[in-house]
Amino acid sequence: MSDKYFVPRRLDDPELIGLWTLDEFLGLAIPFAWGILSQHILLGVPLSFGAWWVLRKAKAGRASSWVVHAAYWYLGESFVRLKATPPSHCRLLAG
């Protein structure tokens, strides 16, 4: 106990809901809830695990914000609607 200050070892860990990050949890929960509400539970369960797997592979060691950046880049500004970013037709000028 010779150290006066305590520095956490993991400052940038994302918040977890159970074993999943928020976006992975929503990828599981939304198709599952759709399956229950539409009475297609046998379709909702594979869709939820498929969405979770795709999100997990898309992130693959990157930050969760990478998915939002990729959606803006490939789908354009009208899909994502971020206010602090330039229009998608100017993205080549930005670098």
Side-chain angles (χ1 to χ4, degrees):
M1 188 102 178
S2 62
D3 293 337
K4 184 177 179 180
Y5 301 104
F6 173 72
V7 178
R9 293 182 185 180
R10 298 180 180 194
L11 293 174
D12 295 332
D13 281 352
E15 293 187 27
L16 299 176
I17 298 175
L19 301 173
W20 306 283
T21 59
L22 179 63
D23 54 348
E24 292 173 352
F25 180 76
L26 290 176
L28 278 169
I30 291 173
F32 184 71
W34 171 82
I36 290 175
L37 293 175
S38 66
Q39 297 179 357
H40 290 91
I41 190 79
L42 295 177
L43 206 64
V45 171
L47 281 176
S48 65
F49 281 112
W52 168 76
W53 186 79
V54 166
L55 276 171
R56 191 149 178 108
K57 292 296 179 182
K59 289 189 335 185
R62 301 180 197 127
S64 296
S65 61
W66 183 84
V67 176
V68 175
H69 294 291
Y72 173 76
W73 184 261
Y74 292 111
L75 300 175
E77 76 171 292
S78 62
F79 183 77
V80 180
R81 297 197 193 280
L82 299 175
K83 303 220 186 265
T85 56
S88 61
H89 68 276
C90 294
R91 65 183 171 208
L92 295 175
L93 301 175

